[in-house]
Amino acid sequence: MHLTPSIRRRHALTLVAGLLGGAIAPPVMAQDFPSRTIKLVVPFAAGGPADVVAREFGQKLGAELAQSVVIENQGGGAGVTALGTVARADADGHTLLFAASGNIVLQPQLTNAGGAELVAKLSPVSLVSTSPHVLVVSSKLPVRSLEEFVAHARGHPGELSYGSAGVGGVAHLGMAYLEALTGTRMVHVPYRGTAGAVNDLASGRVHALFSSYPSLQGVIEKGLVRPLGMTARTESGPAAKLPVIASVVPQFEYTTWYGLYAPAGTPQAAVRRLNAAVRKVATDASLRDKLSVQGVEMAASSPSELQDLAKRDAQKWAEVIKRANIKLD
């Protein structure tokens, strides 16, 4: 029988495929991942709240994955440096981003530094934790409840000031959000970090502040500042006994959160393996207890749930940013 060249080529390809069989490299399988040390990039300097949570989380994640997890701090640049490192990394799940909500939701809206393009090159893996903020006022201010604070601010427009860890941060936007919902007007005083803002709050130089409970606990216990409420319900930690601001100001609610992200294109098998590991870590009792005293609640989600959370937050803060005309550059 005479075989045409095209038929001979098909026969040859069939023969090669049959001989190779299982030798053709399969896609990444969950049981093959991870195959080496995982690098967890943190967009903040060492020693801060994000770094503390990342290190505790990373240690448990490494144990669950039976691989070392190395923390790499890349602070500064509004998180752009860290986002770029992960966005450009090999999409194999061995380089991950421990992102704060501000890195994913706020920075792209506030600056032209390239954050939006970098976020688009990341794939969500899972939510890691959530944490409400606490509203505190200087003890020198003659108010003892959230209702009194709102009434005082309304009665003294432009006379009260509030601090934050910097322009465009969640604490800044949170107060702008509260102003919008209560019809109040206060003066924003930005600081280079939370410590300076807390010190001036305690001395009475500024009147109010949103921040995490751990950063405020010392001055609260000394009676230098007065906690009035928290931005969302929490079941653990010392802030749990405080009233929720939404009970006085309807619609007001927000949390800060950390999420785990991988480079876009990471195989789904690796993403599923990572997601399953995060879910297991989130139930670790010792980790939950250790972080709850800092006002941090461990959480986990599907990749799509994290994506939806980021979209909802982006829409909420976009309205606040536009109304308050907040810009970083």
Side-chain angles (χ1 to χ4, degrees):
M1 180 177 66
H2 175 70
L3 298 178
T4 67
S6 62
I7 293 176
R8 284 199 298 270
R9 281 195 297 273
R10 285 199 297 272
H11 274 280
L13 289 173
T14 302
L15 178 61
V16 170
L19 290 173
L20 289 176
I24 297 175
V28 174
M29 302 301 289
Q31 62 266 31
D32 300 328
F33 173 85
S35 59
R36 62 180 187 276
T37 297
I38 291 175
K39 180 166 68 176
L40 188 59
V41 180
V42 180
F44 300 93
D51 180 61
V52 171
V53 177
R55 290 180 185 277
E56 296 288 351
F57 166 74
Q59 185 178 24
K60 295 291 186 179
L61 182 67
E64 180 63 28
L65 294 171
Q67 284 288 352
S68 298
V69 173
V70 176
I71 306 297
E72 184 173 301
N73 298 95
Q74 294 187 7
V80 172
T81 302
L83 268 67
T85 294
V86 178
R88 291 186 292 268
D90 290 340
D92 57 12
H94 290 90
T95 301
L96 304 171
L97 179 70
F98 187 82
S101 52
N103 302 128
I104 302 297
V105 172
L106 300 181
Q107 190 275 340
Q109 299 190 59
L110 292 166
T111 177
N112 296 319
E117 292 81 359
L118 293 174
V119 170
K121 296 177 181 178
L122 299 172
S123 290
V125 174
S126 175
L127 184 66
V128 174
S129 69
T130 64
S131 179
H133 270 177
V134 176
L135 173 64
V136 290
V137 297
S138 170
S139 294
K140 300 180 185 300
L141 197 67
V143 301
R144 293 190 171 275
S145 68
L146 182 60
E147 293 91 338
E148 290 181 2
F149 174 70
V150 172
H152 190 80
R154 283 174 176 160
H156 300 80
E159 295 181 21
L160 297 187
S161 62
Y162 65 92
S164 79
V167 175
V170 179
H172 175 200
L173 297 181
M175 198 65 80
Y177 186 27
L178 185 65
E179 288 178 292
L181 291 178
T182 58
T184 54
R185 180 166 54 85
M186 294 175 274
V187 178
H188 177 220
V189 182
Y191 291 78
R192 292 180 179 271
T194 303
V198 172
N199 289 338
D200 277 4
L201 179 73
S203 68
R205 290 189 181 91
V206 293
H207 301 104
L209 177 72
F210 273 121
S211 192
S212 62
Y213 194 94
S215 65
L216 300 164
Q217 189 166 0
V219 289
I220 289 175
E221 292 175 349
K222 291 178 182 178
L224 298 174
V225 304
R226 188 175 296 123
L228 300 183
M230 57 185 181
T231 63
R233 171 62 59 193
T234 181
E235 301 299 329
S236 60
K241 62 182 180 293
L242 295 174
V244 179
I245 293 173
S247 64
V248 175
V249 184
Q251 301 179 46
F252 183 92
E253 181 180 1
Y254 77 85
T255 64
T256 59
W257 49 263
Y258 296 122
L260 193 66
Y261 288 78
T266 298
Q268 284 303 300
V271 172
R272 286 193 295 269
R273 179 75 180 93
L274 286 166
N275 185 273
V278 175
R279 289 179 182 277
K280 189 71 177 291
V281 169
T283 65
D284 186 281
S286 63
L287 181 62
R288 294 177 70 90
D289 290 345
K290 184 176 290 187
L291 293 180
S292 68
V293 299
Q294 301 182 47
V296 176
E297 291 189 0
M298 294 302 299
S301 72
S302 69
S304 62
E305 287 170 339
L306 177 55
Q307 188 85 330
D308 290 343
L309 172 62
K311 287 180 179 178
R312 289 195 303 272
D313 274 7
Q315 292 171 353
K316 172 195 295 183
W317 294 126
E319 295 176 6
V320 175
I321 290 167
K322 182 178 180 180
R323 177 188 290 266
N325 193 30
I326 299 170
K327 296 178 182 178
L328 288 180
D329 55 23

